[in-house]
Amino acid sequence: MSRKGIILAGGTGTRLWPLTRAVSKQLLPLYDKPMVYYPFTVLMLAGIREILIISTPQDLPLFRLLLGSGQNLGLELSYAEQAKPEGVAQAYQIGAKFVGTSSSCLILGDSFFYGAELVRLMSEATSRESGATIFGYQVADPSAYGVLTFDSENRITSIEEKPAKPQSNWANCGMYFYDGRAVDFARGLKPSARGELEITDLSRCYMKDHTLHGEKLGRGSAWLDTGTADGLLQAAQFVQTLQVRTGMLIGSPEEVAFRKGWIGSKELRGLADAMGKNAYAETLRQIAAE
């Protein structure tokens, strides 16, 4: 049974107001692409081809317009509404029918990951037939995040949400690999003190039976929070710098589909031609001609 992917792209984006008063933050530009392209391609890099996009009733038609059925990329995309933002773990209640008893990966729509080791670490996560895997990244101020502690075998021994006195500098990133029990665990969750179904509580269900693994993103990787104006600008500048200096794209679903062999050079050229004359399309044409 293949692993399924979920992108949670709901919420109100209040940290980015007034930018997000009229449009989902995950549709904002992150340099030359919509923000959602970046977590979308992370799932593709993990080999996931069945993906559910969850967003608000008003924004979902725009995601459909942007991403379509996924057929042109060799994917199968589905869509579901999150009427009210009631916690990240709510994604597994909304997507219960889509996920079923399959293993899955949930990624937040405003998460930006980059690094040569990312594909290897995701491959290790997908190779685990049971249990769960979450990702940690060292930050200077961990008190603003969920903080992870590890044992000698990289199993997670504690997760603390925004602690006043963090036990480590490892922040919990917005990507979660779960086995087929995730939907059942999510159904049993109760709202936290702030009235939300917490993804931390879902992960703790795996921690209780010692099957919650942690993967540490090292020095050669980047994880950026794009949910603030500063974070959005920093991520855009990061992408611009790397793309201009290397001539290679970051977060391009068309390129990833081609590299994975899900579409051929003819299909890639067709996608580029449909975009007209711009730098992004021209880079895709160059890739197709390699």
Side-chain angles (χ1 to χ4, degrees):
M1 190 180 295
S2 61
R3 188 176 294 268
K4 296 185 177 182
I6 301 176
I7 300 175
L8 183 58
T12 55
T14 52
R15 290 189 299 162
L16 280 165
W17 277 20
L19 280 172
T20 50
R21 285 294 293 268
V23 67
S24 166
K25 66 179 174 181
Q26 291 89 359
L27 293 171
L28 293 177
L30 201 166
Y31 186 48
D32 59 346
K33 306 169 208 73
M35 185 192 295
V36 73
Y37 270 29
Y38 297 90
F40 186 57
T41 54
V42 168
L43 291 181
M44 294 173 68
L45 287 167
I48 296 171
R49 301 177 71 172
E50 292 180 70
I51 299 171
L52 174 68
I53 295 96
I54 298 175
S55 190
T56 64
Q58 63 268 28
D59 290 316
L60 209 59
L62 299 176
F63 283 98
R64 287 182 185 272
L65 180 64
L66 176 67
L67 301 172
S69 69
Q71 187 175 1
N72 60 350
L73 297 173
L75 305 174
E76 185 178 328
L77 303 185
S78 303
Y79 298 85
E81 291 184 0
Q82 184 183 37
K84 291 173 59 180
E86 296 178 335
V88 174
Q90 188 186 24
Y92 277 97
Q93 294 187 353
I94 295 169
K97 185 176 179 181
F98 169 79
V99 175
T101 57
S102 298
S103 55
S104 59
C105 175
L106 168 65
I107 190 168
L108 302 183
D110 60 356
S111 287
F112 178 89
F113 292 91
Y114 177 81
E117 64 178 352
L118 183 61
V119 171
R120 176 183 62 81
L121 293 177
M122 290 193 298
S123 177
E124 290 180 10
T126 56
S127 69
R128 295 189 179 101
E129 295 183 3
S130 63
T133 304
I134 59 179
F135 291 75
Y137 187 77
Q138 277 195 303
V139 295
D141 180 16
S143 64
Y145 304 97
V147 176
L148 308 176
T149 56
F150 300 79
D151 67 12
S152 60
E153 296 180 10
N154 270 3
R155 286 179 301 216
I156 304 295
T157 55
S158 73
I159 312 173
E160 293 182 283
E161 280 300 323
K162 301 180 181 178
K165 296 181 178 179
Q167 296 184 51
S168 81
N169 283 81
W170 290 99
N172 182 22
C173 307
M175 182 162 58
Y176 311 85
F177 284 78
Y178 294 124
D179 66 18
R181 296 175 288 168
V183 169
D184 281 343
F185 282 148
R187 284 178 174 144
L189 296 180
K190 294 180 180 179
S192 65
R194 61 176 184 161
E196 296 192 356
L197 298 173
E198 306 288 355
I199 195 67
T200 297
D201 289 338
L202 178 54
S203 294
R204 285 189 179 123
C205 293
Y206 290 92
M207 195 165 66
K208 286 176 184 176
D209 65 6
H210 308 288
T211 60
L212 180 60
H213 300 271
E215 294 290 358
K216 296 177 179 178
L217 295 168
R219 284 177 177 266
S221 299
W223 168 64
L224 299 171
D225 175 11
T226 60
T228 66
D230 284 342
L232 184 63
L233 179 61
Q234 289 166 5
Q237 291 173 330
F238 183 89
V239 172
Q240 180 198 34
T241 299
L242 286 174
Q243 288 192 174
V244 170
R245 289 184 66 85
T246 65
M248 296 185 289
L249 293 174
I250 297 170
S252 167
E254 298 88 359
E255 180 183 9
V256 174
F258 175 68
R259 302 289 187 198
K260 287 283 189 182
W262 300 341
I263 61 173
S265 56
K266 180 180 178 181
E267 288 79 12
L268 183 58
R269 280 194 300 271
L271 291 171
D273 291 343
M275 296 180 195
K277 294 183 178 180
N278 55 67
Y280 184 78
E282 183 55 36
T283 304
L284 292 181
R285 292 187 188 98
Q286 293 171 5
I287 293 169
E290 289 178 1

